[in-house]
Amino acid sequence: MNELITAFWPYYLIIFALAVIFGFTAQRSAFCPVGGLREWVNERRAGRLATYFGAIAVAILFAALVEGFGWFNLSQTIPPYRTTEFAWGRYILGGFIFGFGMVLAAGCGMRNLVRVGQGSIKAVWLVMIMALVAYLMTRTSFYAEWVMPWISPLSLQFTDSGAQDFASLVMGQTESLSTWRMVLGVIIGGALFILLLRLKEFRQLYPLMTAFVIGGVIVGAYALTGGSYAQFVQEEGYFMDIPPAGLGTQSFTFAAPMGDVVHWLSEPQWALVSFGVIAVFGLVVGSLIAAVSFKQFKLEGFASSQDFWRSSLGAVMVGFGAVLAMGCSIGHGLSGMATLALGSMVALAAILTGAYVGIRFDSRTR
């Protein structure tokens, strides 16, 4: 334990700080993709949804620039967003289930973790369900025995392009691929941000700040885990009997990491304290700091027995769908979109479609 803390405490501390910033900002801005979509569908208010897409635009733009200057390489991330395997069945089905489920659960994993920091007992219960389902899917034989046999054929390989990011699909395996990734990333991210600026609700201080902070945190995590310091950390890990888990280029996602928290709690040791585990706790702490500082901490429970069962079902769908899709509204929606991976684009579209259907279903059954 002392060996790990001595060698990696700056690494752990920076991850925790980034997660706290994420949680603090998400709590203050009510950052929530499904909440934003619900406001747009029901009230035609686009502010929160635009903020979510603004964070995506900033993440794409900053990631393209930083990767273009050679500070990190997003072709070997955890999870592998740019993999040659285009698992379209997982992206579409898992994304839709996740999107529908987060409507019933009143938010994705990130939003419910933020609510835990605000004092929601309901969110504590829902996060526990999401975490247990994610653990079932990632740490037991359930996925391999019951899900993989029918979902694995629903995929194809991008062997000619060598990767599934937008630049690779358009340009192929060319020597100037890194340049094209930067150019296309700047164009796509910049164009999306400029398009969003046409919305008056987005051209406000708080939405703009939220987009820049959260988008910047996503890229900051990639810079930490994929930069020169990360290489030092990995080299140090090679000489340890039990190296820390989950080293590699990665950014924020909250589905599988909640399952990692369950795994760590079942076998508490420093080697299992991964990026995702720290991110989960850091997000809650950041939200707690914001809620207490601005006097928004309040213990809340379920509104009714119907709310309990509906939300619990939604939490099961969120945990299952996120792992099936290999990402959530933060994993694919921000971290994956920053790599311009086609799979993340398809998964995000499926998530939003599932959420839209869920919102319509929710409005008719309440």
Side-chain angles (χ1 to χ4, degrees):
M1 181 181 75
N2 291 334
E3 183 184 27
L4 277 173
I5 296 175
T6 301
F8 299 136
W9 71 265
Y11 180 77
Y12 291 142
L13 184 61
I14 297 172
I15 294 170
F16 185 75
L18 289 171
V20 168
I21 293 171
F22 196 147
F24 186 96
T25 305
Q27 196 282 331
R28 292 301 304 137
S29 63
F31 186 79
C32 178
V34 69
L37 184 61
R38 188 189 293 273
E39 288 181 358
W40 181 78
V41 171
N42 294 335
E43 306 169 32
R44 286 298 183 264
R45 289 193 291 133
R48 279 213 287 173
L49 188 60
T51 302
Y52 176 64
F53 278 99
I56 293 174
V58 170
I60 293 172
L61 180 60
F62 285 1
L65 291 171
V66 177
E67 185 178 25
F69 287 119
W71 293 355
F72 54 60
N73 184 353
L74 297 181
S75 294
Q76 301 293 329
T77 59
I78 303 173
Y81 294 113
R82 289 178 177 171
T83 177
T84 56
E85 182 182 4
F86 182 67
W88 57 269
R90 296 186 65 173
Y91 299 138
I92 295 173
L93 184 59
F96 186 91
I97 293 172
F98 174 88
F100 193 98
M102 70 177 180
V103 173
L104 301 182
C108 60
M110 178 276 298
R111 188 60 193 161
N112 276 286
L113 286 169
V114 168
R115 288 199 177 103
V116 169
Q118 296 175 178
S120 173
I121 305 302
K122 171 182 176 179
V124 172
W125 171 254
L126 297 180
V127 166
M128 288 174 58
I129 293 177
M130 294 175 191
L132 288 172
V133 173
Y135 177 85
L136 178 70
M137 289 282 285
T138 58
R139 298 287 180 175
T140 72
S141 61
F142 177 81
Y143 178 81
E145 293 182 2
W146 296 97
V147 183
M148 185 185 296
W150 57 267
I151 199 68
S152 58
L154 306 180
S155 66
L156 54 90
Q157 294 287 335
F158 288 137
T159 52
D160 292 337
S161 61
Q164 62 165 283
D165 64 288
F166 194 67
S168 296
L169 294 175
V170 173
M171 304 306 301
Q173 301 184 52
T174 173
E175 293 182 358
S176 58
L177 181 59
S178 59
T179 300
W180 278 108
R181 281 173 171 162
M182 180 173 66
V183 170
L184 290 175
V186 170
I187 291 174
I188 294 172
L192 177 58
F193 194 83
I194 292 171
L195 182 64
L196 291 168
L197 286 174
R198 299 177 61 184
L199 297 172
K200 182 180 179 181
E201 296 148 305
F202 184 64
R203 295 195 310 270
Q204 308 294 325
L205 180 61
Y206 280 171
L208 288 171
M209 286 182 59
T210 300
F212 273 99
V213 171
I214 292 182
V217 163
I218 294 296
V219 179
Y222 275 137
L224 171 67
T225 60
S228 56
Y229 179 66
Q231 295 177 6
F232 163 77
V233 169
Q234 292 185 36
E235 290 171 0
E236 288 292 312
Y238 292 147
F239 297 100
M240 295 182 176
D241 294 332
I242 306 178
L247 294 179
T249 306
Q250 58 197 297
S251 191
F252 289 94
T253 185
F254 295 101
M258 287 195 288
D260 293 340
V261 171
V262 176
H263 181 55
W264 172 69
L265 290 173
S266 66
E267 301 178 30
Q269 53 181 299
W270 274 100
L272 296 180
V273 180
S274 62
F275 178 101
V277 171
I278 298 172
V280 167
F281 286 108
L283 193 82
V284 174
V285 171
S287 173
L288 176 63
I289 292 172
V292 172
S293 299
F294 292 89
K295 299 180 179 179
Q296 294 180 331
F297 184 88
K298 182 180 179 182
L299 294 179
E300 294 180 336
F302 291 91
S304 63
S305 59
Q306 182 189 28
D307 182 34
F308 173 83
W309 292 112
R310 180 187 291 257
S311 300
S312 298
L313 174 60
V316 171
M317 295 176 70
V318 166
F320 179 85
V323 175
L324 180 61
M326 295 179 288
C328 58
S329 52
I330 302 301
H332 276 308
L334 291 172
S335 300
M337 285 296 294
T339 71
L340 286 181
L342 180 61
S344 292
M345 299 178 192
V346 172
L348 178 57
I351 288 170
L352 294 176
T353 301
Y356 178 83
V357 174
I359 290 168
R360 291 300 191 189
F361 170 81
D362 192 52
S363 63
R364 293 180 180 179
T365 56
R366 282 190 181 273

